[in-house]
Amino acid sequence: MPLPTVAAVVLSQGTRPTELATALETLLAQTGVELDVLVVGNAWEPTGLPDGVRTHHEPENLGIPEGRNVGARLAKGDYILFYDDDAWLPEPDTLARMVAVMESDPHIGIVQPRPTDPDGKPGPRRWVPRLDARTADRGGDTVVFWEGVHLERRAAFEQVGGWPGHFFYGHEGIDLAMRMMDAGWRITYTPGIRVHHPALPASRHAVFYRMNARNRVWVARRNLPRPLGWAYVATWVLITLARVHDRAALRIWFQGLREGWTTDPGPRHPISWRTVARMTALGRPPII
């Protein structure tokens, strides 16, 4: 019986060579799957990588979602592993176990394992794809997912058009998840399968504030029925005003918010009210 085929897409700018070496070493050690490993150099010419790793060079920084789109198009496999260049897989059957979850139900489009810091540091809130993040041990279907290490069914990924490449950075996973759910696919969190990733705080810089605001509006304009779109953005405004007290950061954030309303977000494909109900039943209505 042939092994499951997995396209492993590693996006890198070459700034973490030690971490990348570990990521690739543990990836190439995986058993029970047929791998096509591709490192996409985002404004970096990949060199000095181990045998068994293919490379692709992009002379300019395409951003995270479009860099991943490029890798997905070039790498071969029925499943696509999107894999941060500072992550690693602790066991040689980690990936095979993720594939087994995917193959247990033909309606699963995304499998997210549980990320853990190898030194035992507490993980950031965004690692747990539920509003209730007090425990990371409860698995099951979710509305969102952590993008750092996860497995996607290629058929589902291609059906919904892949990542929104023009987002560049921020909220691209939320956009993809909404389209995936609206097409009838499941997103599942499997905390029994662990991967390692350093617990680093999210960067808070001008690009972060601008693009998180702009892309939040783009998500709403692209994916939500209009009454919900307004609520989705308004909720984010209230949360940001409560959390961010730096006036310079808020000024950039509101500039991004304005940019989201005045620029083209890409094709509009509002999710159905049935999908809204499904998201709500899973504990995350699309106004949060």
Side-chain angles (χ1 to χ4, degrees):
M1 185 175 179
L3 295 175
T5 58
V6 178
V9 176
V10 185
L11 188 65
S12 181
Q13 291 188 298
T15 56
R16 298 183 283 220
T18 301
E19 292 88 342
L20 177 60
T22 301
L24 294 177
E25 178 184 0
T26 61
L27 182 58
L28 292 170
Q30 294 300 296
T31 60
V33 295
E34 182 181 332
L35 273 173
D36 180 22
V37 179
L38 178 71
V39 172
V40 177
N42 214 7
W44 170 59
E45 179 73 63
T47 59
L49 302 184
D51 293 341
V53 175
R54 299 195 298 120
T55 64
H56 173 77
H57 170 226
E58 286 291 340
E60 297 182 3
N61 183 0
L62 300 179
I64 296 172
E66 186 56 24
R68 287 173 171 162
N69 279 338
V70 168
R73 287 193 294 267
L74 295 175
K76 300 175 178 64
D78 293 332
Y79 306 108
I80 309 171
L81 176 72
F82 292 104
Y83 186 58
D84 277 1
D85 67 353
D86 57 345
W88 66 101
L89 306 179
E91 303 293 339
D93 66 344
T94 301
L95 184 51
R97 292 171 63 201
M98 292 171 65
V99 170
V101 173
M102 186 77 80
E103 294 189 334
S104 70
D105 185 336
H107 299 103
I108 295 177
I110 296 176
V111 172
Q112 184 210 308
R114 177 180 173 180
T116 57
D117 182 276
D119 297 323
K121 297 177 184 175
R125 168 66 186 80
R126 65 185 181 276
W127 280 4
V128 181
R130 294 189 314 273
L131 288 178
D132 178 12
R134 288 173 295 179
T135 172
D137 294 325
R138 180 164 59 86
D141 282 8
T142 65
V143 171
V144 294
F145 63 98
W146 176 66
E147 301 155 17
V149 180
H150 70 279
L151 189 70
E152 298 197 29
R153 190 183 300 271
R154 182 179 290 276
F157 178 80
E158 293 181 348
Q159 179 187 350
V160 302
W163 301 95
H166 60 300
F167 275 40
F168 194 84
Y169 169 85
H171 290 275
E172 66 270 15
I174 296 172
D175 185 272
L176 176 61
M178 284 189 184
R179 288 181 283 120
M180 192 83 78
M181 289 193 70
D182 199 51
W185 297 98
R186 291 174 54 202
I187 301 169
T188 189
Y189 170 56
T190 57
I193 304 174
R194 299 197 180 201
V195 297
H196 286 330
H197 194 286
L200 301 173
S203 299
R204 297 291 188 262
H205 42 66
V207 172
F208 170 87
Y209 286 112
R210 173 193 158 216
M211 293 195 175
N212 265 269
R214 182 197 69 181
N215 293 356
R216 175 83 175 191
V217 177
W218 278 2
V219 167
R221 292 178 62 196
R222 283 163 55 87
N223 297 291
L224 293 179
R226 284 192 169 83
L228 287 180
W230 286 98
Y232 185 79
V233 175
T235 301
W236 199 242
V237 171
L238 294 175
I239 291 173
T240 300
L241 290 175
R243 289 178 176 174
V244 180
H245 305 290
D246 183 316
R247 292 194 175 189
L250 281 174
R251 189 178 305 113
I252 295 169
W253 191 88
F254 275 104
Q255 289 171 355
L257 201 70
R258 186 182 310 113
E259 184 180 349
W261 289 114
T262 58
T263 55
D264 182 10
R268 177 168 167 78
H269 30 65
I271 62 176
S272 69
W273 288 102
R274 181 177 180 181
T275 301
V276 171
R278 185 177 163 209
M279 294 172 71
T280 304
L282 288 171
R284 193 159 190 148
I287 59 170
I288 301 173

